[in-house]
Amino acid sequence: MPKSSERRDPRSRYRRLVGAGWSEADRDAVVARLRATIEELADGEFLVVGEPARPVDTPRRRFGRRATPPPTRYVQFRLADEWLYAECVGAQGFGGDWPATAEQVAAIRAAGWLAPGDADPTGTQPGYPNFWRTVPAAGAGELAAMGAAALEALGVDAATVEVQRGQA
């Protein structure tokens, strides 16, 4: 059973698994930026947060098609009514895009993310292979901490985290 301090701060359990990836200042800055941006979302808006997209280095294929771009490490958030929906790139181990290690999956799960097939307390489980979580809109701080923890676990450089905002 997690310690009471770990129940309040999902980053506690996560830090025990991954150790010191980002500095405390980097982590706090990313969490604060995410929280503020999530709290500003209007109904139907979303955020995609992660590493910069990498260019496709392969030439055009037959018939002029470009190769599929490589997967990126990201988390995303969407406000719908009074709920915040969050996702993190899924691990290839359960059908997702990212070749996450067992340690990365454990760290993401320890931060509070659910995986496909987990019990769904809100009835909002997505039908695609990503880590996910749904909380009331007041849970922006919790999701910001979980998002930063996932990006850190996946090895995203805190200095390159990009935030893209859009309307669904």
Side-chain angles (χ1 to χ4, degrees), residues 1 4-5 10 13 15-16 23 25 31 43 47 68 70 72 78-79 90 92 96 101 112 117 121-122 133 142-143 159:
M1 178 164 193
S4 63
S5 64
R13 289 176 286 158
R15 282 189 202 117
R16 283 200 334 253
S23 71
V31 170
D43 192 40
L47 299 175
T68 304
T72 60
R78 181 172 183 263
L79 178 64
Q92 286 178 341
T101 65
T122 61
R133 191 66 186 267
E142 176 185 3
L143 286 185

Side-chain angles (χ1 to χ4, degrees), residues 22 51 73 104 150-158:
W22 291 353
E51 66 186 337
R73 297 167 285 188
Q104 289 173 321
L151 294 173
E152 182 180 2
L154 291 168
V156 174
D157 179 355

Side-chain angles (χ1 to χ4, degrees), residues 9 11 13 21-22 49 52 79 83 98 101 105 107 111 147 149 167:
D9 184 0
R11 296 176 297 176
R13 289 176 286 158
W22 291 353
V49 182
L79 178 64
W83 293 94
W98 192 257
T101 65
V105 170
Q167 183 72 35

Side-chain angles (χ1 to χ4, degrees), residues 73-146:
R73 297 167 285 188
Y74 68 89
V75 293
Q76 57 189 4
F77 308 92
R78 181 172 183 263
L79 178 64
D81 298 320
E82 295 298 316
W83 293 94
L84 282 168
Y85 301 93
E87 294 179 2
C88 173
V89 65
Q92 286 178 341
F94 56 74
D97 292 333
W98 192 257
T101 65
E103 292 80 14
Q104 289 173 321
V105 170
I108 292 167
R109 299 292 303 259
W113 291 92
L114 301 173
D118 285 351
D120 182 6
T122 61
T124 59
Q125 183 172 20
Y128 30 86
N130 286 338
F131 293 101
W132 61 281
R133 191 66 186 267
T134 303
V135 300
E142 176 185 3
L143 286 185
M146 289 172 54

Side-chain angles (χ1 to χ4, degrees), residues 16-70:
R16 283 200 334 253
L17 287 167
V18 298
W22 291 353
S23 71
E24 193 69 29
D26 286 342
R27 188 177 302 110
D28 290 346
V30 171
V31 170
R33 181 177 175 201
L34 287 180
R35 181 179 187 149
T37 310
I38 293 168
E39 288 175 342
E40 292 173 353
L41 288 176
D43 192 40
E45 279 191 306
F46 65 89
L47 299 175
V48 180
V49 182
E51 66 186 337
R54 293 175 283 171
V56 177
D57 294 334
T58 56
R60 289 186 183 270
R61 292 183 176 170
R62 223 164 120 166
F63 305 114
R65 292 188 196 144
R66 290 213 179 265
T68 304

